[in-house]
Amino acid sequence: MGVLDIAKGMGLTLGKLFSRPVTVSYPEQRATLQPRFRGRHILTRHPSMVPGEPGLEKCIGCSLCAAACPAYAIYVEAAENDPAHPHSPGERYAKVYEINMLRCIFCGMCEEACPTGAVVMGNEFEMADYRYRDFVYGKDDMLVGVQGSIPQRREAARRGQPVRVGFTVEGGPRPELEGVKYPS
């Protein structure tokens, strides 16, 4: 490392020293996230054939996401699909799907291992809470269309107001998050 490299580094430091800090007054002002940000898990569905009704779940209960998880944060219990009222297009579906967010390291291995594209990492990052049981997200908490984390939904219900997420996604959400409504 030469004198020129040190001078470049010091010049960069001095330039940033006199610039205004970039501070977001969160949560009053929403944070802007990049579309590639990976946050809370979302279980997606197939497009609905009947207007007004949700489509079939993409999760077929194969447990590959649980096997790929390095933190052992995912638990999947599969059950046989009822042909008259199917939950998913396969022979099985995930009867129980849980992710312990305290153990999750948000590595995305579950998203990569899923053969049907059922598990995707969404953009929500606000999951702080005081209750341990609220950090275990069940299938009903993660299905596409559920907005906000468990603590946010609980607080919104207590106040009688809609769930307000504290972020916007620059350019809109990713295509694999179809059905997810984020504020613009």
Side-chain angles (χ1 to χ4, degrees):
M1 179 153 66
V3 176
L4 185 61
D5 293 329
I6 293 173
K8 283 182 186 177
M10 293 302 285
L12 183 66
T13 302
L14 288 173
K16 294 293 181 184
L17 185 64
F18 298 110
S19 65
R20 291 190 54 107
V22 180
T23 304
V24 175
S25 181
Y26 176 83
E28 293 82 22
Q29 194 179 8
R30 289 187 169 136
T32 302
L33 300 177
Q34 297 298 318
R36 66 182 174 269
F37 176 80
R38 303 295 195 254
R40 183 175 69 86
H41 303 74
I42 295 175
L43 290 174
T44 59
R45 293 180 176 269
H46 288 286
S48 177
M49 297 298 178
V50 180
E53 290 191 22
L56 295 175
E57 299 170 7
K58 286 186 179 180
C59 182
I60 57 173
C62 66
S63 299
L64 286 175
C65 54
C69 182
Y72 303 108
I74 301 174
Y75 172 73
V76 180
E77 184 179 314
E80 295 296 320
N81 228 345
D82 181 16
H85 303 288
H87 291 273
S88 72
E91 295 175 5
R92 302 182 321 162
Y93 73 101
K95 179 180 175 184
V96 177
Y97 193 100
E98 294 179 343
I99 297 180
N100 187 337
M101 293 297 181
L102 292 175
R103 298 190 77 173
C104 181
I105 58 174
F106 297 92
C107 63
M109 297 291 285
C110 54
E111 186 177 24
E112 296 294 325
C114 185
T116 61
V119 181
V120 293
M121 305 289 278
N123 295 109
E124 295 185 24
F125 61 89
E126 304 161 301
M127 294 179 280
D129 200 3
Y130 296 106
R131 302 177 185 176
Y132 177 80
R133 67 180 178 273
D134 288 344
F135 285 106
V136 178
Y137 280 66
K139 187 165 92 169
D140 294 337
D141 301 319
M142 292 185 292
L143 278 171
V144 68
V146 176
Q147 186 180 25
S149 62
I150 294 173
Q152 285 176 315
R153 291 193 311 265
R154 182 182 65 232
E155 192 64 24
R158 187 180 67 80
R159 290 184 178 172
Q161 298 175 345
V163 175
R164 182 187 183 278
V165 293
F167 65 91
T168 58
V169 181
E170 189 175 294
R174 301 184 313 272
E176 64 266 21
L177 296 175
E178 74 272 350
V180 179
K181 293 176 179 58
Y182 290 126
S184 52

